[in-house]
Amino acid sequence: MTPARRLALALLWLAALALAGWAISQRLQLSGDLRRFMPSAQTPAQKLLIDELGEGPGSRLLLVALSGDTPQALAAQSEAMRNALATKPEFKLVANGADLGLDAIPERLRPYRYLLSPTLDTNLFDAAYLGDELQARVQDLGSPASAMLEPLLPNDPTLETLKLAEAWQPANAPQRLHGVWFDRAGREALLALETRAAGFDPTGQQAAIDAIRAAFAQARGASKSQLTLSGPGAFSVEIGGRTAREASLIGTIDSLVFVLLLWLAYRSWKAPLLGGLPLASAGLAGLGAVALLFDGVHGITVAFGFTLIGVAQDYPIHLFSHQRPGLSPWASARALWPTLGTGVASTCIAYLTFMVSGVDGLKQLAVFTIVGLGTAALTTRFVLPALIDPSPRDAAGSAWLARAWAALARLPRLRGIGIALLAALALALAWLAPGPFWQNDLAKLTPVPADALARDAQLRGELGAPDVRYVIALEAGDAEAALRGSEGLLPALDRLRAQGAIAGYDLAARYLPSAATQRARQIKLPGAATLDAALASAVADSPFRADAFAGFAADVAAARSAPPLTAADLDGTPLAASVAGLLLQRPGHATALVSLSGLNDPAAVARIATAHGAQLLDLKQASESLVAAYRGRVLWALALAAVLLAATVWIALRSPRRVLRVLAPMALTTLLILAVLRGLGVELNLFHLVALILAAGLGLDYALFFDHAGDDYAEQLRTLHAVIVCSLTTLLVFALLALSSIPVLRAIGATVALGVAFNFVLALLIVREPATMQGDADAHA
């Protein structure tokens, strides 16, 4: 094939990749739902954690602090932001303290105040009670609060609206200055916003944050005030942006390193272009397969998938390094195929075990990686040879490579006893190193800076946010049963607060009593004639006019005939978010939550909860148990993968000694990586495990090709050339990842970088005895 035709075929391949990329993008739906990478929840605490992780109000909460100006100016900005954001579709709730007063109950629900207020639990609307209330109102009208109370009196002489507004204030609500929330020092105006977008929706969270910043910019005007934004959504957007920037930088450096190394190694500008085609094909094929087989592709699948198929960049490098004048690229590809195919099949089998993990995210990762690696191998075998120059330089003719091989030949070989001693030492160091072996605390994996987390904790404290670790949960068949059950907890919770076991609590029944309680209060409301008589008697002994409270009688009549208020009736009101966060409803199931603040005696609270048919859930323990369950599934998958991988290599090589030599560097490298990480005090997490798989795949690749070289001196040099180029490109990329500020990238980078170094050295010292040029000449003679 002429050079022009080879170039045309390469351009045609690029065009096909571009077309495939466009087609996949039309179908691709990226998901950020972390629950896809979680095992099935088993305990109530785990189920609650999984539900809350992405959809709960806690994951949707954004906290805002305005500072840097006078309290009056900050209060005005807070109110301007609330007014601007309250109508935005991105938000379910925008609260700054101004909307928790008398307007908490919208006009359409005002008659329900008599069913929601506890007044009728201990009193009757008779002449005596109404008379006392009217006398109290006379006193109120002579107080500074008269301007606020006077509009309420015609419809609400007993001030049930005010009683409810006061009762619904959060237990540890921040102080109000100039009508809005402020911190205790009075220097920062505070707002709390609940987004409609789920916590795992980065696009929706970004839109909400953009709206907040735009509203602040407009409200600030020429002021020097500053905006502080915190909460899970704000962190996820910041982390996502930082991760994308770091990944982009590392990807750019990776590409430059790949191009430079391949150009230096093969002295051809075509090598980087041709070498990148199988890898690009692998990525698109893997992405397309996941998009076709799953409903939504998780962002972690894409990120990890492209990392894991990075081993595919080695495939064309082996083909380039083993090519020489006089041997057609097709013949070279055929000669390499058994070795390359064994490595690919073994690696794919390792990832195939993820399909039995029971975790949807790992299944996606398995499909992406298997399809990607298979595509890269097949395109290297059946397409790439058509594009390669049939008369390249022979790597075996390199003088510096011959000198390097001669120096390596003088190194002592690692034999059975040496390997066993090194493995035992590594295992002992990994096992006996101080500190926990596994990292179960998800909070330690967050790349959020410590000062940002401290600031978030401060804002939550100022806003009276509840304890994020403990919550009481009461499960029932429907919302009504859950509300009734949680109402039974109220006296016990009050006792716990009086005893100092808790500082405060919140539950849905504070805002929405059960239908049974509402009906009980409804029955106590007097009929029209009875109420008219009692009201007339009370008014007669007061300075009010006889017709002053006609609206009151109408509202009582409406309340007597109204159906009980439900959670659905609260949609669009400030109460909706409070109730939705504390009353979780699913078809055929409901859970009433009791959030706690200032929890000082978990054991006492647990006993009270159990006595009332509820549970005190420890969400930190639940998250750690989920992580442990997840890790257990991955470890079982890896154990199965190791068995299948060894079986595949056995079938390919059919020699016990060769199989042991090929597997030994990979196995020993795994132990050495664990020893180094644990010796440095690193607690291992899931990302280390995923990286160990990648490191094992690289090690198997190096060992198989050194075994393939046999005792042929020239072939050993070509293999050394290929493995040096492969290991350098991989080592530089993952060393950069190891320097990342993102814990996930750092864990993967450090693990794989160590793996590349150990695998390279051990493959040299274990797999083959280096041949010499003289020995090779004698063999051919």
Side-chain angles (χ1 to χ4, degrees):
M1 185 180 294
T2 65
R5 293 189 66 181
R6 289 197 297 271
L7 180 60
L9 181 57
L11 293 176
L12 182 62
W13 191 349
L14 276 175
L17 290 177
L19 182 62
W22 175 84
I24 292 171
S25 69
Q26 301 305 302
R27 180 181 176 86
L28 189 65
Q29 292 183 343
L30 280 178
S31 165
D33 190 349
L34 287 174
R35 293 171 299 178
R36 288 196 172 188
F37 272 83
M38 292 290 183
S40 300
Q42 302 298 324
T43 68
Q46 290 177 351
K47 291 175 183 177
L48 178 63
L49 180 69
I50 292 296
D51 286 340
E52 289 295 292
L53 183 63
E55 296 183 357
S59 71
R60 303 169 187 259
L61 188 65
L62 293 174
L63 310 177
V64 170
L66 306 179
S67 59
D69 209 329
T70 64
Q72 293 89 337
L74 295 176
Q77 293 173 24
S78 172
E79 189 62 11
M81 287 183 65
R82 186 182 77 90
N83 293 335
L85 296 173
T87 59
K88 295 287 186 182
E90 291 86 0
F91 301 100
K92 292 179 66 176
L93 173 70
V94 181
N96 68 344
D99 55 352
L100 293 180
L102 301 181
D103 294 330
I105 309 176
E107 190 64 37
R108 63 184 175 86
L109 299 181
R110 289 290 171 89
Y112 278 101
R113 61 187 179 273
Y114 301 110
L115 308 186
L116 304 182
S117 169
T119 296
L120 288 170
D121 295 345
T122 54
N123 297 286
L124 296 174
F125 283 173
D126 54 19
Y129 178 75
L130 292 176
D132 291 341
E133 287 294 304
L134 292 185
Q135 291 304 318
R137 299 297 83 78
V138 172
Q139 299 298 318
D140 291 337
L141 290 174
S143 72
S146 61
M148 178 185 71
L149 298 179
E150 189 171 357
L152 294 175
L153 296 186
N155 291 77
D156 193 7
T158 63
L159 294 185
E160 302 305 321
T161 305
L162 185 60
K163 294 174 186 175
L164 286 174
E166 291 175 347
W168 290 341
Q169 288 287 335
N172 299 303
Q175 66 170 328
R176 293 175 69 195
L177 297 178
H178 309 290
V180 302
W181 283 334
F182 267 80
D183 67 337
R184 282 184 286 271
R187 290 194 292 265
E188 293 184 329
L190 307 175
L191 298 93
L193 305 94
E194 184 183 351
T195 62
R196 293 190 184 277
F200 57 73
D201 179 1
T203 303
Q205 291 293 328
Q206 181 68 66
I209 289 172
D210 291 343
I212 292 172
R213 296 192 184 280
F216 172 67
Q218 185 174 5
R220 178 176 60 175
S223 169
K224 299 296 185 181
S225 58
Q226 298 175 339
L227 171 77
T228 299
L229 189 58
S230 189
F235 290 153
S236 68
V237 169
E238 170 61 25
I239 293 166
R242 185 144 53 93
T243 303
R245 289 191 296 271
E246 290 197 14
S248 176
L249 176 62
I250 292 170
T252 301
I253 296 175
D254 178 18
S255 301
L256 292 175
V257 167
F258 183 74
V259 169
L260 181 62
L261 280 177
L262 263 64
W263 178 77
L264 288 173
Y266 304 109
R267 300 293 195 275
S268 169
W269 63 267
K270 299 176 186 177
L273 171 64
L274 300 180
L277 288 174
L279 183 60
S281 302
L284 286 175
L287 202 57
V290 176
L292 186 65
L293 296 176
F294 295 88
D295 181 21
V297 182
H298 201 286
I300 293 178
T301 301
V302 177
F304 273 8
F306 275 102
T307 300
L308 293 178
I309 65 171
V311 66
Q313 73 182 12
D314 293 359
Y315 303 164
I317 290 174
H318 285 295
L319 182 58
F320 294 158
S321 291
H322 285 84
Q323 182 61 27
R324 60 187 182 275
L327 180 69
S328 77
W330 296 104
S332 181
R334 280 195 299 273
L336 290 173
W337 182 244
T339 302
L340 181 62
T342 300
V344 173
S346 301
T347 306
C348 288
I349 285 173
Y351 291 115
L352 187 64
T353 58
F354 281 178
M355 296 297 291
V356 299
S357 66
V359 179
D360 188 58
L362 291 181
K363 293 178 182 178
Q364 287 193 10
L365 202 57
V367 170
F368 188 104
T369 308
I370 292 169
V371 172
L373 292 180
T375 300
L378 292 173
T379 52
T380 301
R381 167 65 179 87
F382 295 106
V383 182
L384 193 57
L387 309 179
I388 294 178
D389 183 353
S391 301
R393 294 173 56 250
D394 186 354
S398 170
W400 73 265
L401 199 63
R403 289 194 297 272
W405 194 233
L408 291 171
R410 291 191 289 272
L411 294 175
R413 302 292 97 187
L414 266 179
R415 303 302 183 191
I417 295 178
I419 294 173
L421 289 175
L422 190 57
L425 180 63
L427 188 61
L429 180 59
W431 187 258
L432 298 176
F437 193 91
W438 297 112
Q439 174 57 265
N440 290 331
D441 188 355
L442 290 175
K444 292 185 178 179
L445 294 179
T446 177
V448 181
D451 57 345
L453 290 174
R455 179 67 164 141
D456 182 72
Q458 180 211 351
L459 288 178
R460 289 180 178 275
E462 295 285 359
L463 284 163
D467 190 289
V468 296
R469 175 172 180 176
Y470 292 102
V471 65
I472 294 175
L474 191 149
E475 299 188 65
D478 56 32
E480 170 63 12
L483 286 171
R484 285 201 306 270
S486 62
E487 285 174 337
L489 277 167
L490 287 169
L493 291 170
D494 288 333
R495 287 195 299 272
L496 287 171
R497 183 166 55 185
Q499 295 164 4
I502 58 175
Y505 64 87
D506 200 10
L507 70 171
R510 281 185 64 209
Y511 312 96
L512 180 67
S514 66
T517 297
Q518 293 182 57
R519 290 192 186 97
R521 293 169 181 171
Q522 198 172 40
I523 292 172
K524 293 185 177 182
L525 287 170
T530 304
L531 180 63
D532 288 343
L535 187 58
S537 175
V539 170
D541 295 330
S542 75
F544 295 107
R545 297 196 316 267
D547 61 347
F549 304 107
F552 170 56
D555 280 357
V556 170
R560 287 189 77 249
S561 60
L565 194 67
T566 65
D569 297 323
L570 298 177
D571 287 346
T573 74
L575 298 177
S578 299
V579 172
L582 296 168
L583 182 64
L584 310 180
Q585 300 185 64
R586 300 286 186 272
H589 184 264
T591 303
L593 303 180
V594 181
S595 65
L596 306 168
S597 57
L599 178 61
N600 298 313
D601 191 345
V605 176
R607 287 193 299 271
I608 292 296
T610 303
H612 288 80
Q615 286 181 282
L616 178 67
L617 304 182
D618 183 346
L619 297 184
K620 182 176 186 292
Q621 189 277 330
S623 71
E624 292 179 353
S625 65
L626 264 179
V627 171
Y630 192 14
R631 183 178 61 245
R633 288 176 182 248
V634 174
L635 288 173
W636 276 111
L638 292 183
L640 178 59
V643 173
L644 294 176
L645 187 148
T648 305
V649 174
W650 174 272
I651 293 171
L653 301 183
R654 300 297 181 94
S655 166
R657 291 190 64 187
R658 290 179 67 192
V659 170
L660 290 175
R661 285 203 308 259
V662 166
L663 293 180
M666 179 183 66
L668 187 53
T669 290
T670 301
L671 293 177
L672 289 173
I673 293 172
L674 293 176
V676 171
L677 292 176
R678 292 294 302 122
L680 294 174
V682 176
E683 298 172 14
L684 304 183
N685 58 51
L686 172 68
F687 308 111
H688 290 109
L689 292 180
V690 173
L692 282 174
I693 305 174
L694 176 55
L698 292 168
L700 182 65
D701 179 61
Y702 300 165
L704 281 170
F705 274 94
F706 274 119
D707 178 79
H708 166 81
D711 296 322
D712 186 307
Y713 175 74
E715 194 65 15
Q716 287 185 352
L717 286 182
R718 296 184 189 106
T719 298
L720 177 64
H721 184 272
V723 173
I724 287 175
V725 177
C726 290
S727 57
L728 278 178
T729 56
T730 307
L731 181 63
L732 288 173
V733 171
F734 285 95
L736 285 173
L737 282 178
L739 300 176
S740 170
S741 66
I742 309 296
V744 173
L745 300 182
R746 195 162 58 241
I748 294 173
T751 304
V752 177
L754 287 171
V756 170
F758 286 138
N759 275 314
F760 178 78
V761 173
L762 292 175
L764 285 172
L765 299 181
I766 294 176
V767 178
R768 281 288 178 189
E769 290 278 359
T772 62
M773 185 181 300
Q774 182 60 43
D776 186 57
D778 293 343
H780 284 84

